[in-house]
């Protein structure tokens, strides 16, 4: 299976960012995280950052119009022309439509959707630990719970959409970073070493 255009999807705290970085490196494609793009803009106090700070801090989703534009711009960069790994996008049905549109415009389509599975108790525990270590402003218990609810209501239904397209591979996200990465490479038919 040739995999160049991928998504990694799963609840907040499932370890998507960590695995996305490893997998993108392994495949030689850029890992594009909308959450990272938003956080960087917030840190740098750009116009976008100022616009989205309160939303991101509250754990709700940034409006589709804004998010879609950011992703369309980012996917047009030279480094993403041969492939990409999207982490945290699409997260709503409207974003699925937009990604389809972007890909169709260049005659491409998604190769695979990696679903990183982890139950709510495990991901909440992980995020609370990260809160202590990194102090991310959206990692308080109340906002963590809200992010899980938003994911369940808005993003989980997308799995069905991609299942119907036969794109989803499921990976157990509980285990060490290496264990989970080995599962991902195995299910994608990639050699385990870089
Ligand atoms: P997590 O994996 O914990 O959800 P992310 O870094 O992926 O964290 O996202 C952090 C926040 O950035 C989200 O809670 C949301 O406010 C915003 N965000 C990221 N991606 C999107 C998206 N595709 N659509 C809308 N908002 C997004």
């Amino acid at each position: 299976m040739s995999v160049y255009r991928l998504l990694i999807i799963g609840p907040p705290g499932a370890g998507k960012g960590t695995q996305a970085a490893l997998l993108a490196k392994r495949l030689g494609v850029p890992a594009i995280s909308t959450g990272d793009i938003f956080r960087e803009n917030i840190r740098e106090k750009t116009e976008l950052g100022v616009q989205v700070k309160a939303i991101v801090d509250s754990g709700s989703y940034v409006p589709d119009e804004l998010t879609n534009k950011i992703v369309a711009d980012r996917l047009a960069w030279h480094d993403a022309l041969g492939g990409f790994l999207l982490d945290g996008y699409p997260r709503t049905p409207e974003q699925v439509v937009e990604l389809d549109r972007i890909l169709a415009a260049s005659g491409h389509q998604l190769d695979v959707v990696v679903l990183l599975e982890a139950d709510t108790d495990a991901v909440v525990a992980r995020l609370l630990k990260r809160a202590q270590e990194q102090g991310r402003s959206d990692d308080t218990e109340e906002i963590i719970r809200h992010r899980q609810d938003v994911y369940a209501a808005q993003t989980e239904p997308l799995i069905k959409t991609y299942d119907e397209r036969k794109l989803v591979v499921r990976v157990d996200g509980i285990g060490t970073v290496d264990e989970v990465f080995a599962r991902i490479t195995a299910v994608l038919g990639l050699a385990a070493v870089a």
Side-chain angles (χ1 to χ4, degrees):
M1 163 166 46
S2 63
V3 284
Y4 298 109
R5 294 180 177 81
L6 310 83
L7 311 180
I8 187 160
I9 192 166
K16 296 185 299 290
T18 306
Q19 296 299 330
L22 291 171
L23 182 57
K25 185 159 177 271
R26 174 72 184 73
L27 294 169
V29 299
I32 300 174
S33 155
T34 41
D36 282 352
I37 294 173
F38 289 136
R39 277 186 293 277
E40 198 181 308
N41 278 276
I42 291 169
R43 216 171 30 242
E44 302 288 326
K45 298 195 169 62
T46 65
E47 202 183 320
L48 169 69
V50 171
Q51 220 175 336
V52 303
K53 181 176 183 344
I55 303 172
V56 171
D57 281 352
S58 75
S60 295
Y61 285 172
V62 173
D64 287 329
E65 206 183 283
L66 208 53
T67 308
N68 283 339
K69 179 164 180 348
I70 283 152
V71 173
D73 288 349
R74 180 60 187 87
L75 288 179
W77 289 20
H78 190 263
D79 68 342
L81 297 183
F84 54 78
L85 171 47
L86 277 168
D87 160 16
Y89 183 94
R91 266 172 144 109
T92 66
E94 291 75 13
Q95 294 179 13
V96 171
V97 171
E98 172 65 3
L99 180 60
D100 287 341
R101 193 195 61 76
I102 296 170
L103 290 173
S106 56
H108 293 118
Q109 54 187 23
L110 283 176
D111 296 316
V112 68
V113 175
V114 177
L115 171 60
L116 208 51
E117 297 183 301
D119 67 38
T120 307
D121 287 348
V123 295
V124 169
R126 276 190 190 176
L127 289 172
L128 287 170
K129 188 157 167 276
R130 184 172 77 185
Q132 290 178 344
E133 291 164 0
Q134 298 178 7
R136 229 175 85 168
S137 55
D138 59 350
D139 274 348
T140 65
E141 178 148 15
E142 194 192 337
I143 293 173
I144 288 168
R145 299 264 176 215
H146 178 60
R147 280 157 58 212
Q148 301 296 333
D149 291 345
V150 174
Y151 173 81
Q154 302 204 43
T155 303
E156 219 163 45
L158 306 191
I159 296 164
K160 186 164 172 281
T161 304
Y162 287 122
D163 255 337
E164 283 165 6
R165 299 186 195 179
K166 310 248 179 297
L167 289 176
V168 181
V169 296
R170 289 175 157 72
V171 174
D172 178 3
I174 301 298
T176 66
V177 169
D178 289 349
E179 281 164 359
V180 175
F181 188 57
R183 288 176 200 143
I184 295 176
T185 51
V187 79
L188 294 179
L190 303 167
V193 286

